[in-house]
Amino acid sequence: QVQLVESGGGLVQAGGSLRLSCAALGRTSSRLAMGWFRQAPGKEREFVAAISWGGGTTYYTDSVKGRFTISRDNAKNTVYLQMSSLKPEDTAVYYCAADYSWAGRLLPITQGEYEYWGQGTQVTVSS
């Protein structure tokens, strides 16, 4: 059984930074891809970033490129999302997700490709 435990959300002023963490408990795999999604009030959940577990391949949605960085610490089975230059429109509940069936080519960017989800952590950016 896999459990994803997120932490690091909070309230920050525009232009500030936050780092989210997601610990994957229970299982590891070289075919594991991890991702972050977010859901703002009244909006659908959207893809933010993804990373491969073994090779360090990353992918970002356009709106966060240059501001967010996804990384991982394999020894700790943890993936991070470093968020900088935050904007009010980044306000959302952020979810960590895991895909243990990644084929090793294009990183997964849709919700249906991920098998496990964290409980979500709130990020609020004030103007």
Side-chain angles (χ1 to χ4, degrees):
Q1 186 66 23
V2 173
Q3 185 179 9
L4 303 180
V5 181
E6 301 156 352
S7 60
L11 173 64
V12 64
Q13 289 188 332
S17 299
L18 279 175
R19 189 178 79 159
L20 306 182
S21 300
C22 174
L25 307 178
R27 181 181 170 191
T28 58
S29 170
S30 61
R31 295 179 61 188
L32 172 62
M34 300 286 293
W36 288 96
F37 288 73
R38 65 186 180 186
Q39 186 167 18
K43 295 187 177 182
E44 294 186 353
R45 192 174 298 186
E46 65 173 356
F47 170 80
V48 176
I51 187 168
S52 62
W53 201 253
T57 304
T58 60
Y59 186 77
Y60 300 90
T61 192
D62 286 345
S63 63
V64 307
K65 285 180 181 177
R67 300 189 299 121
F68 290 11
T69 301
I70 189 170
S71 61
R72 83 271 188 254
D73 183 334
N74 291 347
K76 297 181 179 180
N77 286 349
T78 299
V79 63
Y80 304 97
L81 186 67
Q82 177 68 47
M83 304 184 293
S84 302
S85 301
L86 282 162
K87 306 175 181 179
E89 50 264 43
D90 294 317
T91 295
V93 177
Y94 283 71
Y95 297 91
C96 172
D99 173 10
Y100 282 87
S101 302
W102 181 52
R105 302 179 67 181
L106 297 177
L107 285 169
I109 63 171
T110 64
Q111 295 183 59
E113 295 176 276
Y114 288 89
E115 302 159 274
Y116 300 97
W117 292 83
Q119 78 283 359
T121 185
Q122 177 70 46
V123 172
T124 303
V125 184
S126 62
S127 57

